[in-house]
Amino acid sequence: MRRFLALWMPFWRTERLQLSQPEHYPVEHPLVVHAPEHNRQTLTGVSPAALAAGLTPGLPLAHARSLVPDLLCAEQDGEADNEALSELCSWLLWLSPLPALDAPDGLFSDTTGCAHLFGGEAAMLDLVRQRLTERGHVCSVALSDSAAASRALARSRIDRVCLVPPSQQKRALERLPCSALPVAEETVARLRRLGLETIGALADLPRAPLAKRFGAELLTCLDEALGRQARPLNVFQIHDRISLSRSLVEPIGTAEAIATVIETLVPEACALLSRRGEGARQIDFVCVRVDSTVQAIRVGTSDPTSDNSRILRLLRDQISQIDPGFGIEGVTLTVSVSEPLEAGPDRPVLPDTDDLRTETLPANLIDRLMNRPGVRAVYQLAPRVAAWPEEAQSRLSPGDVAERADARQMLWVRPNILFDLPVRVRVTALLPDGAPRQFVLRRQTHRIAAADGPERVQGEWWRTPCDYAALRDYWQVETTTGLRLWLFRQGDGIHDWSGSGDWFLQGLF
């Protein structure tokens, strides 16, 4: 099931001016943008302050000035508006590899298969709205099975978030006015004269009389909104990024054929990256099917890379997500995010080898794990300075190895298996500091043949009152049956304030 997100920014034209020239157009002052229409100047955009003053797009400029004498006015610059909208569309690539323009003040994005990366569709919509708000834009967002339905819902109300469950767009649209469809104003006026005010009332009528009276355009817009017919999005392409396209002589539909096309494009993209001295961090592979619909996969890397085999393997792993339908007739490989290959002070280069004995996890393994569907994050365990052994490990992202520098070198051997919580045992030992002779675990007695210790560990008294003066004495023991275990006693065995004197099993060698 395809899912399409639509964004509408009702104050786009005025927001662009207020963000680019705050000294000339303060946010608190009413601002309008105007353009010539029918031999007079008409408002094409208003700011929130102007809207609060009663001004709306479509009003004559002279009328607006009579209502708000100190009104700030600016001529519409369509070229600058479109350029800024294109820049915002390229910014939206973090959400999905398939953004599209909805000029003059909106955007689309095919988010099929992307929601799980952001914690679900509701969280994804909230994140999109939050990030646009941080950029200074008021927006409405909607998500449904069709781009037309999402557009109508997003534009139905200012500052709205609308999430339509799969196959429920008809119910969501039935109360919207017919003007929410992208049809001519004359058609909307004729529908109103017939008493057809809402999309639901229009959808319940027989199709043949509607087509005869209003033409095919109205039915096409209605079918697109209800999901009966799909209009392909004009996917936005960024010109300054590495993008390779191929038109295929014959449509392809097998995984082997798709892999062959990928193997043709990736070496060329890697060569271009090497010339720039850059490495790919995110690659999009977009397939255009014979029915003009689009399928896309996206892979990311844990560090910048221009390694041919590494990128090939990542893309091959994702081929199963492509539905070729009746065939694929065109493909595009885009390096949507790239970074310099030189390693900065905070990002050491990860090894590209598959040797698991290296200090860091191999980059190939990290990349394959991070690109699996459903995987939210990949961590590796690293030592950290802590008094108690159960707190002496931390989760680090693959490239963040700086914290390892402050991990101390242990003088004593640590067990291979460390329990999350120590297990209480009953130990027979000579007080105050004698070695354990035997212990009972789950009603079974284990006799100790050899013991080495104690290793005294003191709590981090500066953190919590409970750790103040807390002690543990650790022993490495070997039982008569060959088990090598790690035992400790709470306290020094003499003073009550140092611990209870109970024994615990914490690990296995």
Side-chain angles (χ1 to χ4, degrees), residues 133-353:
T133 302
E134 292 172 353
R135 292 176 66 93
H137 300 295
V138 176
C139 68
S140 293
V141 294
L143 183 69
S144 71
D145 292 347
S146 70
S150 297
R151 183 184 190 275
L153 290 165
R155 293 173 179 267
S156 63
R157 195 172 66 198
I158 294 177
D159 199 15
R160 179 182 189 183
V161 177
C162 182
L163 174 58
V164 181
S167 304
Q168 297 296 319
Q169 61 265 25
K170 182 177 180 181
R171 179 178 299 178
L173 292 170
E174 59 185 7
R175 295 187 179 181
L176 293 185
C178 295
S179 58
L181 297 175
V183 295
E185 294 182 4
E186 180 183 354
T187 302
V188 174
R190 292 171 60 191
L191 290 171
R192 287 175 180 170
R193 286 197 295 267
L194 295 175
L196 299 174
E197 297 285 346
T198 64
I199 296 177
L202 186 64
D204 293 335
L205 292 178
R207 298 175 59 85
L210 285 176
K212 184 176 181 180
R213 191 165 192 136
F214 298 98
E217 179 187 1
L218 177 62
L219 290 182
T220 299
C221 293
L222 182 62
D223 289 343
E224 289 176 354
L226 298 179
R228 300 169 183 166
Q229 183 177 339
R231 177 178 297 182
L233 297 179
N234 187 11
V235 177
F236 182 78
Q237 298 292 338
I238 301 177
H239 300 293
D240 62 340
R241 293 184 179 175
I242 295 176
S243 183
L244 306 174
S245 299
R246 294 291 185 273
S247 296
L248 307 178
V249 178
E250 293 289 339
I252 60 175
T254 63
E256 293 77 11
I258 297 174
T260 301
V261 175
I262 292 176
E263 292 168 1
T264 304
L265 296 176
V266 168
E268 186 176 348
C270 291
L272 293 174
L273 284 169
S274 298
R275 290 177 197 169
R276 293 187 178 188
E278 296 179 347
R281 289 299 308 276
Q282 185 172 278
I283 304 103
D284 297 328
F285 184 67
V286 180
C287 303
V288 181
R289 304 193 301 191
V290 294
D291 58 356
S292 297
T293 58
V294 175
Q295 293 280 300
I297 56 176
R298 166 175 285 179
V299 297
T301 62
S302 54
D303 64 322
T305 181
S306 59
D307 182 62
N308 183 24
S309 59
R310 182 174 168 187
I311 297 176
L312 274 175
R313 187 166 188 175
L314 291 178
L315 289 171
R316 286 199 204 102
D317 289 345
Q318 305 297 321
I319 290 178
S320 59
Q321 298 186 30
I322 299 176
D323 179 11
F326 294 106
I328 296 171
E329 62 180 4
V331 296
T332 300
L333 179 72
T334 303
V335 181
S336 51
V337 178
S338 61
E339 294 179 3
L341 278 174
E342 292 80 12
D346 297 329
R347 190 217 299 275
V349 174
L350 297 175
D352 285 337
T353 176

Side-chain angles (χ1 to χ4, degrees), residues 423-425 440-446:
V423 180
R424 186 188 295 271
V425 293
V440 179
L441 175 63
R442 296 177 181 176
R443 299 182 181 180
Q444 184 176 357
T445 301
H446 298 266

Side-chain angles (χ1 to χ4, degrees), residues 37 114 127 155 217 298 330 453 490:
E37 181 182 358
C114 298
L127 182 60
R155 293 173 179 267
E217 179 187 1
R298 166 175 285 179
Q490 282 187 338

Side-chain angles (χ1 to χ4, degrees), residues 21-35:
Q21 305 177 47
E23 66 280 0
H24 295 104
Y25 304 107
V27 176
E28 66 277 0
H29 206 88
L31 169 66
V32 297
V33 175
H34 58 87

Side-chain angles (χ1 to χ4, degrees), residues 312-487:
L312 274 175
R313 187 166 188 175
L314 291 178
L315 289 171
R316 286 199 204 102
D317 289 345
Q318 305 297 321
I319 290 178
S320 59
Q321 298 186 30
I322 299 176
D323 179 11
F326 294 106
I328 296 171
E329 62 180 4
V331 296
T332 300
L333 179 72
T334 303
V335 181
S336 51
V337 178
S338 61
E339 294 179 3
L341 278 174
E342 292 80 12
D346 297 329
R347 190 217 299 275
V349 174
L350 297 175
D352 285 337
T353 176
D354 287 331
D355 186 3
L356 295 178
R357 294 173 296 178
T358 55
E359 182 181 355
T360 59
L361 288 178
N364 287 336
L365 174 60
I366 294 171
D367 293 343
R368 296 187 71 189
L369 289 174
M370 293 178 67
N371 286 283
R372 284 188 177 181
V375 176
R376 297 291 303 278
V378 176
Y379 298 98
Q380 57 187 118
L381 296 177
R384 62 180 293 267
V385 176
W388 307 136
E390 61 267 22
E391 300 175 358
Q393 283 184 328
S394 61
R395 294 196 308 175
L396 300 179
S397 58
D400 189 10
V401 295
E403 291 186 34
R404 297 182 184 180
D406 62 1
R408 62 186 177 186
Q409 182 69 31
M410 297 297 179
L411 299 178
W412 290 74
V413 179
R414 291 293 180 253
N416 299 327
I417 300 176
L418 191 69
F419 301 154
D420 292 334
L421 294 175
V423 180
R424 186 188 295 271
V425 293
R426 286 189 297 142
V427 173
T428 301
L430 294 177
L431 293 177
D433 55 357
R437 300 296 181 87
Q438 67 178 24
F439 66 93
V440 179
L441 175 63
R442 296 177 181 176
R443 299 182 181 180
Q444 184 176 357
T445 301
H446 298 266
R447 298 188 180 277
I448 296 175
D452 186 14
E455 175 193 357
R456 177 158 293 182
V457 177
Q458 187 171 4
E460 299 172 358
W461 53 267
W462 60 90
R463 292 181 56 186
T464 63
C466 295
D467 289 334
Y468 184 78
L471 298 176
R472 289 184 185 179
D473 283 343
Y474 280 89
W475 292 81
Q476 300 177 34
V477 302
E478 183 175 348
T479 66
T480 55
T481 58
L483 291 176
R484 296 190 62 208
L485 308 171
W486 206 33
L487 302 175

